Amino acid sequence: MDCKASGVKPQGKPYTASFCRQPFVNRRQNMKISWSWASPVIPQPSAAPDLRTTAATGSTARGAAVAIGSFDGLHLGHQALIRHLKQAAKDSDLASVVCSFCPHPRKFFQPLKAPGLILPLRDKLRTLAAAGLDRTHLLRFNAAMASLSPEDFVQLILVKRLNAKLVIVGEDFRFGHKRAGDLNRLTALGLSHGFAVQGVSEIQYGGERVSSSRLRETLLAGELALARQLLGRPYQLSGRVVRGQQLGRELGFPTLNLKMPEDLVASGIFTVWVEGLDRKPLAGVASLGRRPTVESGGRLILEVHVLDWSAQAYDQHVRVSLVERIRPEMRFDNLEDMTQQMHQDLQQARALLKA
């Protein structure tokens, strides 16, 4: 899958959060992020890989401090890197720039074995837009990008495209064809191309490294409380409410339906809080899955039943915070058994959200 993106950063003073104490996401209602998909394009060997810009609010003409990474999930480790980036950019009077990739490189190299997606692209961009950066760039990871040597990546992307004067990466950062480049090589290339390099140490929580792999495993296991600690905020998904098959309404459980990426890592039945329908978050119970009881091979969808609320919400954009997983998704022999379980899920959700 190939990507391009554009967006608008919220106006006014950027929201900044103290480490591990406040949410990383600004929840102001005027945030707007939009995107579209582009057909894969493989440039000629002499051409630079494609680069898209989102949330651009400042020029890099004076030079940029650039943080590079997949930023999959934007967990505490990523947030530490971004805080370091912003402070370093401020100290050196440089534009603060995040450079990320779409799709994830492992999705390109091993599409059938690639790790599940933690956040949809829209939510990744929305979270980055709230971080108070001057610019965010997405690099389209395709065959041309994968073939770049470390030297070509530095010359074509960091120097020519981003005007980097300072590059900030994690200490385990690898780049270039066959992952030939590391922090030491990047530092050496920086000396010859006029930019400095800084490595940021890992962040630990509970005696273990905070990483996208750990966060992914946590979400797969349905451990939402730990996921919240690793993220420094609730695990939140967003999307536009679309019309479904109306089966939930017929069964007495009308739902908001949000399409999700097929490779999203989380699934199951959850207690949730819904933002975007009222001035305050609304309680709900949600199913994130493929509806195996009513269809075979269905697409991934987030179905949210908002408690004690009844109104039309088609085409509205809502944000859904997953609080606790009640159970995994299940296949039932018939609709009667499924409906009975839904009533039990609803009762359990009410009790958990009141606790």
Side-chain angles (χ1 to χ4, degrees):
M1 188 173 286
D2 202 26
C3 325
K4 66 180 181 180
S6 63
V8 179
K9 182 182 172 184
Q11 301 299 314
K13 184 177 180 180
Y15 174 89
T16 56
S18 59
F19 182 52
C20 293
R21 292 185 180 178
Q22 297 183 26
F24 186 63
V25 178
N26 186 339
R27 304 187 189 284
R28 282 176 288 187
Q29 298 296 319
N30 62 345
M31 186 179 298
K32 181 181 179 183
I33 294 291
S34 61
W35 71 86
S36 61
W37 299 111
S39 300
V41 176
I42 300 178
Q44 296 300 315
S46 59
D50 196 13
L51 180 148
R52 306 294 184 193
T53 304
T54 179
T57 60
S59 171
T60 59
R62 67 184 185 275
V66 181
I68 312 172
S70 66
F71 296 96
D72 187 13
L74 288 159
H75 53 63
L76 295 180
H78 297 139
Q79 294 170 38
L81 189 68
I82 289 174
R83 280 196 308 277
H84 185 96
L85 165 70
K86 291 173 62 179
Q87 187 60 54
K90 180 180 178 181
D91 292 344
S92 302
D93 192 28
L94 299 172
S96 58
V97 176
V98 155
C99 182
S100 191
F101 306 92
C102 186
H104 191 289
R106 280 201 282 172
K107 182 75 172 178
F108 173 82
F109 288 112
Q110 296 179 305
L112 299 181
K113 298 181 180 180
L117 195 65
I118 296 175
L119 287 178
L121 177 61
R122 182 187 187 102
D123 292 314
K124 174 178 175 177
L125 295 179
R126 182 169 58 87
T127 308
L128 283 169
L133 301 164
D134 289 314
R135 302 176 76 86
T136 297
H137 291 277
L138 284 181
L139 290 170
R140 183 168 54 186
F141 202 95
N142 55 15
M145 179 63 64
S147 68
L148 287 183
S149 67
E151 290 78 8
D152 285 341
F153 180 86
V154 166
Q155 179 67 24
L156 293 174
I157 304 300
L158 296 182
V159 176
K160 288 189 175 181
R161 293 290 189 93
L162 300 180
N163 193 20
K165 302 301 179 184
L166 173 63
V167 177
I168 301 170
V169 295
E171 291 183 339
D172 60 350
F173 177 68
R174 303 300 293 264
F175 69 107
H177 184 55
K178 295 185 177 180
R179 295 167 54 87
D182 58 10
L183 181 58
N184 290 332
R185 192 163 183 180
L186 181 62
T187 301
L189 288 168
L191 289 174
S192 61
H193 286 86
F195 61 83
V197 175
Q198 296 178 2
V200 176
S201 301
E202 66 183 33
I203 296 295
Q204 291 203 347
Y205 178 81
E208 297 181 39
R209 177 177 178 244
V210 177
S211 66
S212 295
S213 296
R214 183 183 177 189
L215 177 57
R216 201 174 286 112
E217 292 170 1
T218 300
L219 290 170
L220 276 171
E223 299 174 0
L224 270 299
L226 177 56
R228 179 170 184 150
Q229 296 299 320
L230 299 178
L231 288 165
R233 65 186 190 277
Y235 179 59
Q236 189 177 80
L237 302 170
S238 72
R240 182 174 58 86
V241 178
V242 299
R243 187 175 295 275
Q245 298 178 357
Q246 308 298 310
L247 178 60
R249 186 174 299 277
E250 293 176 11
L251 298 176
F253 292 88
T255 60
L256 310 175
N257 301 310
L258 283 68
K259 294 179 180 178
M260 290 288 124
E262 291 299 306
D263 53 350
L264 194 69
V265 68
S267 68
I269 311 301
F270 301 88
T271 58
V272 300
W273 290 102
V274 184
E275 297 176 69
L277 298 175
D278 196 82
R279 286 178 291 182
K280 62 180 182 179
L282 302 177
V285 58
S287 169
L288 177 56
R290 303 182 186 279
R291 299 160 31 105
T293 302
V294 297
E295 58 182 322
S296 176
R299 65 162 298 151
L300 190 66
I301 189 166
L302 178 61
E303 300 173 289
V304 184
H305 175 66
V306 183
L307 306 186
D308 308 317
W309 181 88
S310 178
Q312 293 290 346
Y314 295 125
D315 292 325
Q316 291 191 46
H317 187 269
V318 298
R319 299 171 303 284
V320 182
S321 295
L322 278 58
V323 180
E324 187 169 347
R325 189 168 79 170
I326 297 174
R327 61 174 175 84
E329 184 178 41
M330 300 165 56
R331 184 185 183 281
F332 297 90
D333 292 333
N334 51 65
L335 289 180
E336 182 177 321
D337 290 346
M338 185 181 75
T339 304
Q340 183 178 351
Q341 181 62 54
M342 290 168 68
H343 281 286
Q344 295 178 18
D345 295 338
L346 179 59
Q347 292 177 2
Q348 189 171 353
R350 288 186 183 277
L352 290 170
L353 290 169
K354 286 181 179 179

